[in-house]
Amino acid sequence: MVPAVSPANAARLRIAAVLVCGIVMQTTFGTDLRIEGVAPDFMLLLAVAGGLAAGPGGGAFIGFSAGLLADLSLTATPLGVYALSWCLVGFAVGWARLNVLPEGRPVQPLVGLAATAGGLIVLLVVGALSGQGAFTAAGKAWLVRVGMVEAAWNAVLVIPVTALMRRAARGTRGADRLGRTDALVAG
Amino acid sequence: MVALLVLVSLTLISLDASGRGRSTLQGVRGAFNAVLAPVQSGIHAALRPVGNFFTGAVDYGRLQAENTLLRTELDQLRATEASAAFYQQQADQVLALQHLPFVAGIPKVTAQIINIGSSNFSASVTIDRGRSAGVLVGQPVVAAGGLAGSVVAVTAHTARVDLITDPRFVVGVSLPDHNTGSAAGQGPGDSVRVTVVPASAPVPKLHRGEILSTSGLQMELFPPGIPVGRIATVAVPPGELEPVATVTPFVNAARLGYVDVLLWSPQ
C-alpha cells in the first residue's frame, strides 16, 4: 500500500519539480534568449516568485534551492554564492509581500523589476565578500546591461511564474498564511 | 530557518573558496552536471527552433548554419595567416626552433559543443567528450581560429571549457623583443587584456593589428604557437612604462560549434 503524502510534502515535491524544470530551462533554452548578449536568469525569477507565493520563510527556502541549483551548474564561482544571494532575495520579497505589498497581479511586474535589481546588488556584494572578481570583471556598463535585460525578462515572466509557484506551494505553511492574510485584508 | 540557510550557504562558500572541501564539492558539481548533460542536450536541440524564432527571423536557423560555415572557413584562412606570421617570427628566433612542440604534432580529440553557458558573468561551454575520451582538466582547447580556452571540469562523457574571454582565464603570450605577456579574459564580450610581464628585456613596442600567440614557457599550461588574437588597442597607463593592449581573439565563442581538445600536458 502506498503511504499517503501530506499536503506539505506534496507541495515540496511540486516546488522541487518546478525548480528542476527551471534549471534545465536556464541551462538550455536560457542561452537562446539572449538580448544584447545577456541571458535571462530564471533561477532569480523563481526566487522572486517563491517569495510572492510562499512568504518570507518559503521564499528563502525556494530562493536557497534555486541558487544552489544555479551554483551546481556553474564552475566559475564558489558553491553557495548564488544560494545565499537568492535566499536573501526570496526572503526579502516574501517579507515585503506579507507586510507591505498588496495582493494582486498589477504590482508583480514592479516587484520583478525591483527584486531583480536588488538581487544583482546582493549578488555583487556576496561575490565581493567571497573574493570573486568575475562579477565585476566586464565593467559597469555590462552590469547595467545585465540588470536591465534580466529585470525586463523578470517583469514580463513574474506573473505566470508566480501563478505556477502559487499552485505548487499550495499546502505549505507560508502559502496558507499569505492566503489567510489576503482574506483578512479583503474581508 | 532563514538563519540556518544563510549559515549553510556561508559554510559552502568558505569550504569551496578556501579549497578545503573543494574536491568533494567539485565531485558533487561534476555528478550534477553529468546527470544534467543528456537532458540538456536533448532539450536544447528540441527548443533550438523556438530560440531561433525568438531572435527574430523565420529562416534564422538555416542562415545561421550557413553563416557559421562561412565564418569557420574565414577563421581557417585567418588561422593559416596567423600561423604563417608565427612561423616567420620563429624563423627569426633560430634558437628555439628545433625544440618547440607544435599543435600539429599534438594528439587531439574533436568535440561538439552541447551547451553554451547561460551565465552572464562567465564564458564557458560544455563539450560532448570527457574522461572516457582522454580529456583531462587543464588541457588546451583550440578551434578553427586559434586558442579557444581550457578544460576546467570533466565528467565521464562531458567536459566544461572556460573560454578565452572568461575572467578566470589567463595565458602567456609572446611579445616582441623577447618579452612575455599575460593575456586575461574580461568576462562576457569579445576582448582579452594583455599586460607585459616585467623582465630585464627592453619594454616591447606593441602595434595595433599585431598577432599574438601563446608563449609556451616552461611549465606553461599551453603549448607555444597557438594564435590567440589580434591587438585592437594599445595604451600606456599613466605612471607606467609597460603598455597594456586589448586583443580581439580569433575564436568567437558565439560561433563555436566544434572544438579540438589538445591531449597535452606541460612537460
Side-chain angles (χ1 to χ4, degrees), chain B residues 64-77:
Chain B
Q64 195 181 41
E66 194 175 274
N67 197 20
T68 303
L69 186 68
L70 290 170
R71 285 179 185 278
T72 303
E73 286 175 4
L74 184 62
D75 284 342
Q76 282 168 343
L77 289 172

Side-chain angles (χ1 to χ4, degrees), chain A residues 24 26-28 32 34 38-39 57 64 71-80 84 91 135 138 142 150 153, chain B residues 1-2 9 12-13 16 25 29 32-33 40 43-44 48 50-51 54 115-118 120-121 160 168 186 188:
Chain A
V24 170
Q26 176 68 43
T27 55
T28 55
D32 291 332
R34 286 182 185 271
V38 179
F64 173 83
D71 276 322
L72 285 169
S73 72
L74 298 170
T75 53
T77 49
L79 199 70
L84 177 57
F91 174 77
F135 297 117
W142 175 255
E150 286 190 1
W153 269 115
Chain B
M1 186 178 74
V2 179
S9 303
L12 287 173
I13 292 170
D16 201 358
L25 296 178
R29 271 179 159 159
F32 178 79
N33 286 307
Q40 281 178 328
I43 290 180
H44 202 196
R48 198 80 197 242
V50 185
F54 170 78
N115 187 35
I116 299 169
S118 60
N120 290 322
F121 299 105
R160 184 72 63 93
R168 294 187 304 170
Q186 299 295 294

Side-chain angles (χ1 to χ4, degrees), chain B residues 139-142 146-151 161-164 169 222:
Chain B
Q139 287 175 337
V141 178
V142 298
L147 185 65
S150 68
V151 177
V161 175
D162 268 1
L163 297 174
I164 190 169
F169 190 89
F222 302 88

